[in-house]
Each structure stands twice: as structure tokens, then as C-alpha cells.
Amino acid sequence: MQTFLEHIIDDLKRKGENLLELTYIVPSRRVGVFLTRYIASRYDQPIIQPEILSIEEFVSRESGLEIKPDLEIIPHFYKAYKSVEGVQAESFESFLSWAMTVLQDFNEIDRYIIPTDRFFTYLGNIKELSDPHWSLEANPTKMVSDYLKFWKRLHLYYEALVDECKKIGISYQGLAYRQAHELIMNNASNLKDNYVFLGLNALNTAEENIIKELLDTGKAKIYWDTDQYFLSRPYHEAGTFLNKHFNTWKYFERNSPQFIGDNYSKNKQIHITGASGNLTQVQIAIKKLLELPNNELSETAIILADEKLLIPLINALPSEIEHYNITMGLPLETVGYSSFFKQLVTLYTSMTNNGFYYKDVQALCNTLLFKTVLSKSSNTLQNKIHQENLVVLNKQIIADAIDEPWSKLFEPLNKPTDLVKYALEFITHAKNVLIDQKNKRFELEQLVGIYEVITQIQNLLSDYPEISDYRTVEFLYDKLISSKTLDFIGEPVQGLQIMGLLETRGLDYKNVIMLSVNEGTLPAGKSTNSYIPFDVKKEFELPTYSDKDSVYAYHFYRLLHRVQKASFIFNSDTKSSIGQKEQSRFLVQLINDQENEHQLVIESYEVPNEIHSRELISIDKNDHLINRLKEIAQSGFSPSALTSFVRNPLDFYRQKVLRVDQLEEVEENIEANTMGTIIHSALEELYKPYINQVLKKEHFKLLFKQVDEQLQIAYYKTYNTNQIPTGKNKIIFEVCRKYINKLLQLDLESIEAGSELIIKSLEKDIRAHIDHPELGIIHLRGNVDRIDLYNNQIRIIDYKTGQVKSNQLKIKDANYQDIILDYEYSKAFQVLMYAYLYEKEYGVLPDQAGIISFKNFKEKFIKFSDEQVDNKHQITVEILDQFEKQLFLLLSDIMDPNQPIIEKAV
């Protein structure tokens, strides 16, 4: 296979050109590496490398200006902006909110040599007319006036920026293109006559005019990498730009384009594979790679349309692949250490006068860099957050947990400059820690890159001390980190090549494997970052999203010109975001294109998405488990333990036998169980002074007055905080107050109705032991919220903050077995067990047992009832005998060594 570059070299040599005296203008530096290799292969002796420039390097050189990244231009743009607006200028922070987008638009305007006077006048008029329903009002608001003023004065900002850049000899890319265009168009005769342009496609106006001028004056040759298949089909996106060039350039009225191949439609093996997820894509790519002969690896490229797959791919490369070269840089924002500074800034962005939000503190502590350097401190602080249920952390709390001097990262800093300074000190310390460890080169490279980014931010803050908003620092970091990459060291022309799509320009491979060939990734879609309306772009022939789609189409199909075997893999995962799971339109075109000799194979690798039923867990009772059950029997089975077994024996096993509790989370908002504890505690303290007293109406006057005090005490004690309730907690706090007042009112109304009420005990711990005929002595225990004497009847009362209905405490048709078979009757089981324990401890039957549900006050005291007897609410010996019978059966099931613990499907 003769590559595009080899064809050009051979053609130039046939025409008698001295390959070493030509200046080659190529799409990218990478093309230059391979071009140099091919040129050298045509000579038998050492050579001096000819001049090879990327198109951007050529323009920069001819402009006489140094092209700077956009973010480095921003300070100069602000200086220019202030020279226009004077004292009316916005702060640098406000300026940043729109300046980056405007600068990108300036870039585009200049690259396409748009007449700026006409353009900005047109744009300002369009903005004024686009919303006539408000912009043309007789007395527009200040916001409307400022909006229209901005567009009317945009040309002044542009002119001031151009003057500022030229004065100090720097440039944004577009300005360099306009300057080079002007110089070359006016002085083309002064240029050399040995230029060779090759592998270009979509040209902006500056590039197009420069190349046409050099061609027309005989100072250049140009070679196109295209195929007759696309040129003969004007509707095909891949030929959009080249067809336009060939049909509109005067040069091609008398010269034939060089070089147009006819390889695309020839026999090729093309595999299109849908993969469910990114990792599956990588696995398929490796599988395809291993199917190739080893001697073809140097003619093989893996192309990543989505650069996020780079690390998974590298990690998946098998040991058989000894030589490979990564041409694309690893985005710094994707590496583990990059999240440290962003989380640190986020911490301060959401800081309040009371301190730091615990989730932001945890996020910072959990960053890879923080844990690498301060692992012990991170664990200490997070344990403290959980143990003390801290929602907001002040400086002192953090200082007690974090090693000095790094607690200063959590000080309430007033200036971003201090934060940046401390962050740089921390990264320097981290570098020293890692230097002492082995095999940490990659981690150290990350730190060097991050240090450089934060240093750039520090320089900006130094130049603009008025920046005080941490969100601005976060914005700067996001912009800088997204453009920073870590470069890999490798042999650029040896072994397997791993690259991005744009890096394939001008290069040919025998085998191609491309990942993430999805709509929305290839092409990228309609997303654009511009203030210029679509209609204005069309009017001035600026590129739109459809033009960018054509660029992607050219690069995609160019890969297939001389390839023999191509594998395209797309993510078919249905869980991907909308549109992202669809295969690229380019693949659809390949599938439906019948005018070629391609051998097309369509495959799909889907992870089964079936719901597999699993067998319920069964655990045999070994000696250890039996001994643990005996321990529980000795300490006492509680109603909640027994009902958990009824619900699901596996839950009982985990919680009571293994003692595995769910991980405690910080209660940022009061949980239901904590809410119940607060109410119980407050009611206990309110009623405690009146135990064994006949409650009077006058007692309640004082009780109502004490609600707030006792509720606050219960809140601080139970919620484990000294902070007043705020937000959702404030609402729940008020709900607790409402419930307590309602219960007091319920009792007061009973007294006012002539009833006598004596509270006998509160939060009473009652215990008993029973002599089971098979199991021996079993201990039982329970905590009764309230025992009172109501009109000379003993009542067992349980408070519930949740919803409880009367049917949950009813036994129908004497079906007492339901209380140990159906968890729906767990409330009935609980109150009957309290009544059973009461009778065992005091030798007296309670008269009634039931629940007061705070979410169902309308039913007041919901009593247990046996619907088969006349006095259905009365606790009788027969009822407790029935309960005891079911209790014994349940305990037998739990304690029987031959009966396994079998999971229930719940």
C-alpha cells in the first residue's frame, strides 16, 4: 500500500524537485514526522531535514505575531475593554462571564476575513430588531439599554483589542490569520517559491486566499487527499469543501487537482459493532487487535473519537503489544489528582459564616491527592463528622482532626489569593511525599501539570487583585485544566498507533479500529459556543454546525481511502444519555451505500439485561450461630427483634446475629426514627413531674409553656448537634412541636370531658422470662412509651410518628397465627407483647393496649381488638394465652438448631 505522503514524495521527485529545498505546509505536526521519515527513506545518506510547518505555524510566522492561547489573551482583552469603557467598565469577574465567547467570535471573524465595520453594524442592528416587542419601547429599562449598548459597542472592544495585541507583539489566532493574509496578499512576490501544501481540506478564508495567491503566482504546489467517489457525488458531506474549491478557484480552471485517488470503493473489510458500554467497546477493540498479525501492528491505528477512553484502553492493552505510541495527550482534567483544587474551591464557594458544609468537606477529603498526603487526617475528620453528626464544620472542629499545617486549607479565607497560595504549598508538599516513593512518575507528572495551571491562576489574581469571588477562580481552573494535557513519550513511527481523529489527517493505515462512533460524538452535533446568530453566520459565510459536520465526514471517510480492514465500534448502551447510544450517521451511510465493493459485517455485543431470579438464601445453624442465639435469649428478645424475624429472617440474622448495622450517615435532615426519639424524649421530660398524679387542667397550662424548652433540649441531645435547626430541619422541628402539642391537647380534652388520667410510668423498661417447654428459659424485654390509668383502666400505650391504622391492630376470626406469619400485624404483635410482659412483671392484666399515631390523631388511642369477642378491646387471659402460644412457636422457629434461617422474598 502506497500512502498519500509517499505518493506526494514520489510525484515531486518525478517532477525533478529537490525534496530537501521545499517548504512543506501540512495539517499538523504529526504529519511532519511521517513526512520526514518518507523523505529520508528516498536518500542513501544523512540529510538535513527540510522545512515542515503546520498550517498554523506558517500563518504565525508570516504574520510576525506570536499566537497565544485565548486565556492568556483575556487579561489584554480586559485592558482594552477598560480603555473603551473607562470608569463604567465591569469588574474582571463580570467581564469573564462573556469575554471568552466573544474572543472566540473575534477569532472566527478574523480567520474568515469578515469586514468588521459592516459585520458589527449588521450584528448590532440584528440584535436591536430581533426582539421588537421590548427593545424598541419608548422607555427601555436599564437592562435593555445595557444589552443594546453592548452590541453597539462590540466593534470598539474589537478595535481596542487589536491595537493592544499589535502594540505588544502578541496575537490570538484569528488576528494572526488576518495579519498574515494582509501581508501575503500585498507582498506575495517577496515570498519563496517552494511551498508544497498537502492534506488540507476545510480552509478558512484567510488560508484559502493565501493558498490561491501562492498558486496563482507560481510559488506553491498543492496536493489534496481525496477520492473520486466523493467528488463525483456533490451531495456527499465528505466532498463538500474540496468540491467547492475545485469549482470556484480560478487556478483549477487551468490546472487539474493533485492528487485524486480512486481507492475508496475498492474491496475492504468493514466491521460495525455495537457494544453495550464503554468498557465493552475497549474489550472488543482489544479482541479485534489480537486478531491481526504481529507484523501489521505498525500499520494499525486505534482511533478514539472520545478521548475519555484512553486510560481504559491503555490499561487493557495486552502484554503481547510491546510497542505502541500514543499521539494524543491525556487530558489533565481526567486524571485523579485534578479534582483536588476544584473541590477545594467548591468548598469555599459554598462556605457560610457558620463554616463549611460537611458534604463539601467530605468531597475534598475523598479526593485522591488529599487521601494520598493526609490519609489519616481524612479518616479522622470523616469519622468525627459521622460520630458527632456534623452538618456544618467550623475551623476549630477541622483543626482538631487535620495535621498541621494543612488545617489552614480550611480557614475562612477572605481572598482567593491565599487559597491559591496554600494549594500550591500543599501540592509542593505532595510532590515531596511522592518523590520518596517508588514508581510514582505518572503521579508526579500530574502534580507538575496541576501546579502549572494553578500558577497561571495565581498570576491572574496577582494582576487583578479585585477578583474576590471563588466562582471566578473555579471558572479559570476549569478553562485551564480542560486545555492542559500530559504528553506521552514514545516512538512516533514505530508500533501500534493510538490517536484522536484529527491526528489521522494525512496519514494512512492498513488497519483501523475506531471507538465511540456515536451520533453526538462523531459528528459532535449542533453544540456551539458563540454569540453570533445562525442567520448572521449564513449571511457572512461563517461556518455553522453543518460545516463542522462536513469536516468530521471528510476525516472519517478519508481513513477509508487506502485502508484494508476497518472496525468501527459504537456504544449501544441504552443507559447512555439521549442520542448518545445511536450509531453515527456515517455508519448508517456505510451500511446503506451499495455502490462499492466493501465486505460489510454488522455485529452486536450486548450485555444481557435480563432479571435473573436467584435462590433465596438459607443458612444452617452451626454452633457459633446457636451460641449467638442463646446470648440473645439471655439478654432478652425485644418486640422489634421478633417482628424483624417475621418480616425476613435474613434481616434478623444480619442485624441481631451478625450485628451488622447499616452504615450510619450524617443526618443532614432529621430522619423519621430520630424525629420519633426527639418527640419521645420531650414528652418524657414534660410528663415526668406528674407521674402518679391525677392530671388537672391547670397542669396543662404549664405543660404547653414548657414544650419549646423541652423540645429544644431533646433536639440538641438526640440530634447530636449544638446548631439551631435550619432549612428542612426547621420544618421538621415545627412538626415535632405540632405533634407534642396535639398529644397534650388530646389528654387535656379527655380531662375536660370528665375523664381521670394518671400517668404511671414513661419509657418503662419491662422484662420477663418464660420457661419454654423445649427451649428452657428465654428472656424477653420491651420499652413501653407510656403506661397510664385512664378512668381506672390500665392502658399500655406506644407512640408512633408514622401512619398507623386500626386494622393493623385487629385480629379477625381468631387468626392469631397471623401475627407471626404476616408483618402487616407487627403492630398488634408489639402491643400484645407489651401487655404480656406487663402481666408477667406485675401479675396484673392491663385493660387495654394500643398505639397513638401522630399521623392519625383523628383515631386518638388505637386499641388492640379481637373481633370475635364481645368486649373486643379488653385484654384478657385468653388473648394473652393465644399470644403466648404464637410466641412460643416463633421462638421455636428461631432457636431450633435443625431449622435453618431461610430468607423471605420481600
Side-chain angles (χ1 to χ4, degrees):
M1 176 189 73
Q2 187 177 44
T3 67
F4 168 66
L5 296 180
E6 288 176 308
H7 176 89
I8 292 171
I9 297 303
D10 292 343
D11 186 68
L12 290 170
K13 203 165 185 179
R14 278 195 303 270
K15 292 176 179 177
E17 297 286 353
N18 185 336
L19 301 180
L20 304 180
E21 293 181 356
L22 298 173
T23 297
Y24 301 89
I25 312 300
V26 296
S28 66
R29 289 181 179 180
R30 176 152 187 78
V31 177
V33 173
F34 281 83
L35 185 61
T36 301
R37 177 193 180 193
Y38 293 137
I39 292 173
S41 69
R42 297 325 190 248
Y43 292 88
D44 296 327
Q45 70 277 355
I47 63 171
I48 296 176
Q49 179 177 323
E51 186 176 36
I52 302 176
L53 302 172
S54 70
I55 184 70
E56 185 174 326
E57 290 170 335
F58 169 70
V59 169
S60 178
R61 186 183 72 175
E62 297 304 319
S63 71
L65 298 172
E66 180 185 2
I67 298 178
K68 293 284 189 180
D70 283 357
L71 203 58
E72 292 185 31
I73 294 293
I74 286 295
H76 304 289
F77 187 11
Y78 185 59
K79 182 178 179 182
Y81 163 74
K82 290 208 300 184
S83 71
V84 173
E85 295 296 345
V87 296
Q88 300 297 321
E90 297 177 358
S91 68
F92 184 70
E93 292 167 304
S94 299
F95 170 80
L96 270 178
S97 66
W98 53 265
M100 290 294 292
T101 303
V102 167
L103 184 56
Q104 289 182 39
D105 287 337
F106 287 174
N107 264 308
E108 201 158 78
I109 292 165
D110 284 335
R111 284 195 298 261
Y112 284 82
I113 316 299
I114 303 300
T116 52
D117 288 344
R118 176 172 169 256
F119 176 82
F120 287 117
T121 300
Y122 188 93
L123 183 62
N125 291 339
I126 283 288
K127 289 294 180 182
E128 189 170 34
L129 294 173
S130 60
D131 292 299
H133 61 282
W134 57 262
S135 64
L136 298 181
E137 291 178 356
N139 298 302
T141 65
K142 184 179 185 302
M143 181 188 76
V144 172
S145 298
D146 290 345
Y147 174 81
L148 297 175
K149 174 186 172 184
F150 173 82
W151 294 107
K152 291 290 188 182
R153 296 175 69 81
L154 201 56
H155 73 285
L156 298 177
Y157 306 154
Y158 170 82
E159 292 166 0
L161 174 60
V162 170
D163 291 342
E164 176 67 20
C165 287
K166 288 183 176 180
K167 184 169 63 177
I168 58 179
I170 65 170
S171 173
Y172 55 91
Q173 188 191 62
L175 179 58
Y177 271 73
R178 189 182 284 274
Q179 177 92 340
H181 177 268
E182 181 180 340
L183 292 174
I184 291 174
M185 297 305 289
N186 293 329
N187 302 284
S189 59
N190 295 332
L191 295 177
K192 297 185 292 183
D193 57 0
N194 66 342
Y195 293 104
V196 178
F197 292 89
L198 55 95
L200 303 177
N201 172 47
L203 303 172
N204 57 52
T205 305
E207 293 168 341
E208 188 174 331
N209 289 345
I210 289 170
I211 293 173
K212 286 194 294 186
E213 179 68 17
L214 294 177
L215 289 174
D216 290 340
T217 55
K219 293 182 175 293
K221 297 178 178 63
I222 189 163
Y223 290 86
W224 307 97
D225 188 3
T226 187
D227 194 276
Q228 186 62 45
Y229 183 90
F230 305 109
L231 296 182
S232 62
R233 291 165 174 78
Y235 57 83
H236 205 294
E237 288 179 297
T240 298
F241 293 102
L242 296 185
N243 269 318
K244 175 188 172 186
H245 300 334
F246 299 157
N247 292 328
T248 60
W249 289 15
K250 289 184 178 180
Y251 176 81
F252 292 118
E253 294 177 2
R254 58 184 185 276
N255 295 281
S256 299
Q258 302 283 328
F259 114 99
I260 298 175
D262 190 17
N263 297 302
Y264 170 77
S265 59
K266 293 179 180 178
N267 186 15
K268 306 176 191 301
Q269 295 182 43
I270 299 178
H271 289 242
I272 296 175
T273 308
S276 57
N278 287 334
L279 293 181
T280 308
Q281 286 193 79
V282 171
Q283 292 170 356
I284 295 170
I286 298 301
K287 179 176 178 291
K288 300 285 186 186
L289 187 64
L290 293 176
E291 291 172 355
L292 299 173
N294 286 333
N295 60 357
E296 292 188 8
L297 289 179
S298 60
E299 300 177 274
T300 301
I302 295 181
I303 301 163
L304 302 179
D306 182 356
E307 60 189 16
K308 293 184 180 67
L309 294 186
L310 179 58
I311 291 298
L313 178 68
I314 294 173
N315 290 334
L317 285 175
S319 57
E320 295 95 310
I321 311 297
E322 295 182 6
H323 302 289
Y324 61 90
N325 180 58
I326 303 170
T327 67
M328 58 194 301
L330 177 65
L332 190 58
E333 64 180 336
T334 65
V335 301
Y337 285 168
S338 66
S339 61
F340 165 76
F341 187 72
K342 184 173 179 64
Q343 290 296 344
L344 183 62
V345 176
T346 300
L347 182 77
Y348 279 85
T349 301
S350 59
M351 178 182 65
T352 67
N353 292 332
N354 296 324
F356 301 105
Y357 182 45
Y358 83 99
K359 284 189 177 179
D360 293 327
V361 174
Q362 287 181 321
L364 178 61
C365 289
N366 286 328
T367 59
L368 183 59
L369 181 57
F370 196 94
K371 291 182 79 70
T372 298
V373 180
L374 295 173
S375 177
K376 184 178 178 181
S377 294
S378 173
N379 293 335
T380 301
L381 182 55
Q382 295 201 67
N383 287 338
K384 188 179 183 70
I385 291 171
H386 283 292
Q387 291 167 3
E388 300 183 18
N389 204 72
L390 301 171
V391 177
V392 179
L393 289 77
N394 58 37
K395 171 186 173 182
Q396 190 56 50
I397 292 173
I398 296 173
D400 292 341
I402 299 295
D403 293 343
E404 290 294 340
W406 303 117
S407 61
K408 63 186 177 183
L409 290 172
F410 298 90
E411 292 185 7
L413 305 173
N414 295 320
K415 297 185 297 182
T417 49
D418 293 333
L419 181 65
V420 169
K421 174 187 172 186
Y422 292 156
L424 289 174
E425 290 176 2
F426 184 79
I427 291 173
T428 301
H429 174 68
K431 285 163 60 179
N432 294 332
V433 170
L434 292 175
I435 285 172
D436 296 333
Q437 301 177 21
K438 293 181 180 180
N439 301 321
K440 294 294 182 181
R441 182 174 178 179
F442 178 59
E443 288 81 357
L444 288 167
E445 287 291 338
Q446 293 182 46
L447 290 182
V448 170
I450 294 166
Y451 191 93
E452 290 173 356
V453 168
I454 300 176
T455 300
Q456 286 182 269
I457 295 174
Q458 186 180 49
N459 294 337
L460 281 169
L461 295 179
S462 176
D463 293 339
Y464 298 96
E466 67 268 25
I467 296 178
S468 59
D469 194 333
Y470 288 104
R471 288 172 295 185
T472 304
V473 177
E474 185 175 14
F475 170 84
L476 292 171
Y477 183 72
D478 287 342
K479 287 293 182 183
L480 287 167
I481 202 76
S482 63
S483 61
K484 186 81 172 176
T485 59
L486 298 178
D487 295 326
F488 292 90
I489 299 174
E491 173 52 54
V493 294
Q494 182 181 2
L496 173 71
Q497 301 294 309
I498 301 173
M499 56 180 62
L501 181 60
L502 292 180
E503 289 150 333
T504 66
R505 290 175 292 181
L507 304 178
D508 294 301
Y509 295 94
K510 184 176 182 179
N511 306 298
V512 167
I513 302 171
M514 182 183 286
L515 290 78
S516 301
V517 192
N518 283 81
E519 195 69 17
T521 302
L522 186 69
K526 296 184 179 181
S527 59
T528 182
N529 191 17
S530 173
Y531 287 140
I532 304 174
F534 180 83
D535 291 344
V536 177
K537 289 194 173 200
K538 296 293 286 185
E539 171 69 20
F540 286 89
E541 297 184 350
L542 289 169
T544 64
Y545 64 83
S546 60
D547 296 312
K548 293 175 183 177
D549 288 353
S550 297
V551 172
Y552 278 106
Y554 170 80
H555 293 314
F556 176 83
Y557 282 101
R558 196 207 64 78
L559 283 171
L560 294 173
H561 287 182
R562 287 164 286 275
V563 76
Q564 292 184 16
K565 187 173 183 178
S567 295
F568 298 110
I569 308 167
F570 68 94
N571 186 357
S572 60
D573 186 0
T574 56
K575 294 181 181 178
S576 301
S577 55
I578 295 174
Q580 299 298 310
K581 67 181 179 182
E582 297 180 16
Q583 59 185 319
S584 169
R585 73 186 72 166
F586 303 149
L587 298 184
V588 176
Q589 291 167 5
L590 280 177
I591 293 170
N592 291 287
D593 188 355
Q594 304 298 322
E595 301 180 31
N596 53 59
E597 300 176 16
H598 301 164
Q599 299 177 39
L600 201 63
V601 177
I602 302 173
E603 307 166 305
S604 180
Y605 286 79
E606 296 288 342
V607 176
N609 195 25
E610 301 172 4
I611 299 176
H612 295 285
S613 60
R614 64 175 181 84
E615 292 184 5
L616 297 176
I617 296 173
S618 177
I619 302 170
D620 292 329
K621 292 173 182 170
N622 57 25
D623 292 342
H624 175 76
L625 196 155
I626 292 169
N627 289 334
R628 173 63 189 139
L629 290 173
K630 289 179 178 178
E631 287 178 14
I632 299 172
Q634 185 62 34
S635 63
F637 284 102
S638 66
S640 61
L642 295 173
T643 54
S644 74
F645 188 89
V646 172
R647 180 181 182 273
N648 186 359
L650 190 62
D651 290 343
F652 171 86
Y653 174 73
R654 288 169 174 161
Q655 296 169 13
K656 304 302 178 182
V657 178
L658 298 182
R659 289 172 278 202
V660 177
D661 293 325
Q662 291 184 344
L663 177 65
E664 286 190 15
E665 298 288 344
V666 172
E667 284 192 23
E668 184 179 353
N669 298 313
I670 301 174
E671 300 294 340
N673 59 339
T674 307
M675 177 179 173
T677 304
I678 292 171
I679 293 174
H680 282 59
S681 179
L683 286 171
E684 180 184 10
E685 293 304 317
L686 283 167
Y687 274 131
K688 190 182 289 183
Y690 304 100
I691 289 178
N692 290 321
Q693 295 184 39
V694 176
L695 287 171
K696 307 289 186 183
K697 287 171 57 177
E698 52 268 25
H699 293 150
F700 284 90
K701 292 180 181 179
L702 183 58
L703 283 169
F704 281 117
K705 290 179 180 179
Q706 293 176 331
V707 168
D708 286 354
E709 178 186 354
Q710 293 301 334
L711 182 57
Q712 287 181 5
I713 293 171
Y715 174 82
Y716 293 138
K717 175 184 174 183
T718 308
Y719 196 39
N720 201 10
T721 182
N722 57 4
Q723 299 166 357
I724 61 173
T726 58
K728 186 177 178 182
N729 282 355
K730 176 65 174 174
I731 296 173
I732 298 174
F733 184 87
E734 293 301 322
V735 171
C736 291
R737 187 204 310 274
K738 175 183 175 183
Y739 285 166
I740 292 171
N741 281 318
K742 272 197 166 189
L743 182 64
L744 294 178
Q745 186 65 35
L746 182 65
D747 287 342
L748 176 59
E749 289 174 357
S750 296
I751 293 169
E752 288 177 336
S755 296
E756 182 180 84
L757 176 61
I758 302 172
I759 293 178
K760 304 300 291 182
S761 61
L762 298 163
E763 303 299 328
K764 177 66 175 177
D765 183 42
I766 51 178
R767 294 175 178 268
H769 66 270
I770 57 175
D771 189 359
H772 193 283
E774 299 171 358
L775 305 175
I777 301 299
I778 299 289
H779 292 265
L780 305 172
R781 60 184 175 86
N783 188 273
V784 182
D785 294 335
R786 170 168 149 180
I787 302 172
D788 66 25
L789 196 61
Y790 185 76
N791 293 331
N792 289 320
Q793 288 199 322
I794 299 171
R795 297 192 304 180
I796 304 289
I797 299 175
D798 190 54
Y799 300 140
K800 296 294 183 188
T801 53
Q803 178 88 353
V804 179
K805 296 182 179 179
S806 59
N807 63 340
Q808 294 175 279
L809 281 86
K810 288 180 181 178
I811 298 295
K812 297 178 182 179
D813 302 324
N815 291 325
Y816 277 86
Q817 66 270 22
D818 288 344
I819 65 174
I820 65 169
L821 297 176
D822 189 347
Y823 185 71
E824 181 68 20
Y825 293 94
S826 61
K827 305 295 189 297
F829 182 97
Q830 185 175 11
V831 297
L832 283 177
M833 185 163 172
Y834 288 150
Y836 181 78
L837 290 172
Y838 185 87
E839 191 276 332
K840 289 290 183 184
E841 181 163 341
Y842 296 104
V844 177
L845 281 175
D847 295 287
Q848 295 171 349
I851 289 172
I852 293 178
S853 170
F854 293 134
K855 284 191 176 179
N856 192 11
F857 266 112
K858 65 181 181 181
E859 293 201 38
K860 300 181 180 179
F861 178 47
I862 306 171
K863 305 165 190 175
F864 169 81
S865 66
D866 183 340
E867 299 297 304
Q868 292 298 109
V869 298
D870 293 335
N871 193 359
K872 60 183 181 180
H873 296 304
Q874 184 71 37
I875 301 295
T876 64
V877 173
E878 291 75 20
I879 287 175
L880 294 187
D881 285 345
Q882 288 282 3
F883 171 77
E884 184 180 64
K885 179 182 177 181
Q886 301 304 320
L887 176 64
F888 278 25
L889 290 173
L890 180 60
L891 290 171
S892 294
D893 197 9
I894 294 173
M895 301 297 293
D896 185 354
N898 299 315
Q899 177 66 35
I901 293 177
I902 301 174
E903 179 186 10
K904 277 185 183 178
V906 292

